[in-house]
Amino acid sequence: MPDNMIEVRNVTMKFRMGNQPINSLKEYVTTTLKGTLKFNEFVALNDLSFDVKRGETLGFVGRNGAGKSTTLKCISGILKPTSGTIRTYGNIVPMLELGAGFDLELTGRENIYLNGAVLGYSKAYLDEKYNEIVEFSELGDFIEMPIRSYSSGMMARLAFSIASIVQPEILIVDEILSVGDAAFKEKSSQRMKELMTGGTTVLFVSHDIDKIEELCDKVIWLEHGKKIAYGDAKEICDLYRNKEVRK
C-alpha cells in the first residue's frame, strides 16, 4: 500500500468571471450577441503541490478566498483542476456542504437512506447504523418530519451524523465543527478526534486556528491560491498568528 494517501502535483484552478452582473437569460443572450460580455480570469489555486501520508491530519489556514475550500473540492472530485494532477488512494468521505444532498420534502429518516446511498453505504449498513445516527444527531421525534421544517443547525447535525458514522480512509472536513450548541460542538469535535486517531487520513479547514493546531499533525498556509508555508502544525499556526497580529 502507498505511504501517501493523497498526492497533489502542480494544481492550478482558474475560473472565468463575468465583468458585469447578469440578472436573466435574456440579458445574457443580449450582451453575448452585442459582444459586450467579457470575462475576467480568477486564479483560485496557483501551481499547488503537497502530499498527505496515511493516517496524517493536514490542516489548512489562510484568509477567506485563499483557496482552502477550492483545494478540498478538487481533491473530493467536485471540481476538476484546470491543470495539474491529484491522486488519492482510498475511499473519500467529504464533509464540505453538509446537507447539500438532502431532499427537503423527505423526512429525516428517508434522507438518512438517501444521503447514505450517495456516500456509498448499503441499505443493510444503514439499517445497522440507523439508531446510532439518530441518537448522535439528537433529533428525536423530528427524524420523522420533513426536513424542510428543520433549522439549519438541525440539518447540519443530521448530515454530520450520517457522514461521520463510518471509518473512511480519507475524510475531508470544511468548517463543520461549529454545528449546534456548545454540547453538540464538543461531541462532534470528539467524534472527529476518534476518526483522526483511528487511522483515517484527514484534511481539515477551520477559521479556528487553535482547533487546527490541536487536531492537526501538519498545516499548509495558503494565500491567493499559493502555498506560503508547510510544516509542523504548531510552527505554521504560530507563523500565521504572528502575521495576522502584524496587520
Side-chain angles (χ1 to χ4, degrees), residues 36-206:
T36 59
L37 181 60
K38 305 295 182 183
F39 291 94
N40 297 319
E41 189 174 76
F42 172 69
V43 180
L45 298 176
N46 192 345
D47 197 31
L48 183 63
S49 297
F50 61 89
D51 295 330
V52 188
K53 296 188 180 303
R54 180 177 302 279
E56 192 171 69
T57 299
L58 177 65
F60 292 77
V61 297
R63 308 182 80 184
N64 288 337
K68 305 184 300 295
S69 295
T70 300
T71 301
L72 299 193
K73 288 178 180 178
C74 286
I75 294 172
S76 300
I78 296 171
L79 295 176
K80 180 177 173 57
T82 306
S83 62
T85 61
I86 296 174
R87 291 187 174 89
T88 58
Y89 304 91
N91 70 304
I92 299 175
V93 170
M95 293 188 194
L96 300 177
E97 297 170 1
L98 289 180
F102 283 165
D103 185 325
L104 298 182
E105 299 306 312
L106 299 181
T107 65
R109 174 192 290 272
E110 291 166 330
N111 271 288
I112 287 176
Y113 286 92
L114 173 64
N115 202 239
V118 169
L119 291 172
Y121 309 157
S122 68
K123 183 179 184 300
Y125 182 82
L126 292 168
D127 285 341
E128 178 188 339
K129 294 291 185 177
Y130 177 81
N131 289 336
E132 188 178 343
I133 292 170
V134 176
E135 182 180 352
F136 192 89
S137 72
E138 301 177 359
L139 289 173
D141 293 340
F142 280 98
I143 202 68
E144 301 297 347
M145 296 181 64
I147 64 170
R148 66 170 180 271
S149 63
Y150 285 17
S151 67
S152 58
M154 292 167 67
M155 199 178 302
R157 275 160 46 193
L158 179 60
F160 179 87
S161 301
I162 297 168
S164 65
I165 208 67
V166 294
Q167 287 278 344
E169 293 172 282
I170 300 172
L171 180 65
I172 299 181
V173 183
D174 189 356
E175 289 292 354
I176 54 84
L177 297 185
S178 58
V179 172
D181 57 22
F184 194 87
K185 287 177 186 176
E186 179 57 33
K187 187 166 75 167
S188 61
S189 182
Q190 186 59 42
R191 171 63 65 85
M192 288 297 304
K193 290 177 183 177
E194 291 170 4
L195 290 172
M196 290 171 177
T197 57
T200 298
T201 302
V202 181
L203 304 184
F204 182 46
V205 167
S206 174

